[in-house]
């Protein structure tokens, strides 16, 4: 979970603080403001999740669940935002220039989101016992 929160926070800055996103002159200035705000919010909640995971606690399973919820809360909306906000799009590039595999449009951000969601599920499964409880050693 630590790797997911760290990589997710850093990768979001690397990918979005670029000429096809936040630095794109075609973007409205207020849209760039909100995009940057979202990146800093993600960094903050990711750092909070990391603190929860690494602090001494009698309930380390709560930290694991919170870390997973942070990951899920960030990556899941990528799949439905254009449905609830039809004026938005998954593609940041020129219309008609979407990447395709065998003629099917493949949005890179959805691939990244899918990988993070799968990795979150795998991490939770690795930390879960047969009874469904998170098995994390207490550090006290």
């Amino acid at each position: 979970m630590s790797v997911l929160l760290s990589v997710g926070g850093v990768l979001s800055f690397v990918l979005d603080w670029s000429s096809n996103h936040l630095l794109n002159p075609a973007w409205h200035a207020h849209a760039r403001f909100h995009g940057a705000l979202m990146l800093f919010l993600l960094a903050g909640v990711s750092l909070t999740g990391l603190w929860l995971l690494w602090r001494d606690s009698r309930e380390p399973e709560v930290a694991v669940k919170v870390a997973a919820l942070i990951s899920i809360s960030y990556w899941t909306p990528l799949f439905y935002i254009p449905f609830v906000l039809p004026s938005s799009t998954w593609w940041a590039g020129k219309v008609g220039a979407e990447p395709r595999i065998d003629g099917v449009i493949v949005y890179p951000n959805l691939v990244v989101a899918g990988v993070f969601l799968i990795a979150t599920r795998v991490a939770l499964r690795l930390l879960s016992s047969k009874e469904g409880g998170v098995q994390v050693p207490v550090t006290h």
Side-chain angles (χ1 to χ4, degrees):
M1 294 308 308
S2 295
V3 171
L4 289 173
L5 291 179
S6 300
V7 171
V10 171
L11 187 63
S12 292
F13 270 94
V14 169
L15 295 175
D16 288 353
W17 208 284
S18 63
S19 61
N20 70 333
H21 276 74
L22 293 179
L23 304 179
N24 185 338
W27 276 32
H28 189 279
H30 197 64
R32 286 195 296 271
F33 171 84
H34 278 282
L37 180 67
M38 185 268 315
L39 290 176
F40 284 102
L41 175 63
L42 174 62
V45 296
S46 294
L47 287 171
T48 302
L50 287 169
W51 171 76
L52 284 169
L53 287 169
W54 289 96
R55 70 185 173 90
D56 286 340
S57 174
R58 294 187 186 271
E59 297 178 313
E61 67 279 356
V62 172
V64 172
K65 289 176 185 176
V66 168
L69 287 171
I70 289 170
S71 180
I72 291 165
S73 296
Y74 180 75
W75 296 107
T76 300
L78 272 76
F79 291 96
Y80 63 78
I81 287 174
F83 296 111
V84 297
L85 184 61
S87 61
S88 68
T89 179
W90 287 294
W91 181 238
K94 183 179 176 183
V95 175
E98 298 86 352
R100 298 174 187 273
I101 297 177
D102 289 331
V104 176
I105 295 175
V106 177
Y107 296 102
N109 50 353
L110 294 183
V111 172
V112 170
V115 167
F116 272 92
L117 288 169
I118 290 167
T120 299
R121 179 68 182 135
V122 169
L124 280 174
R125 184 165 296 259
L126 290 173
L127 294 169
S128 296
S129 70
K130 292 179 184 175
E131 295 80 36
V134 176
Q135 298 296 308
V136 181
V138 176
T139 57
H140 286 65

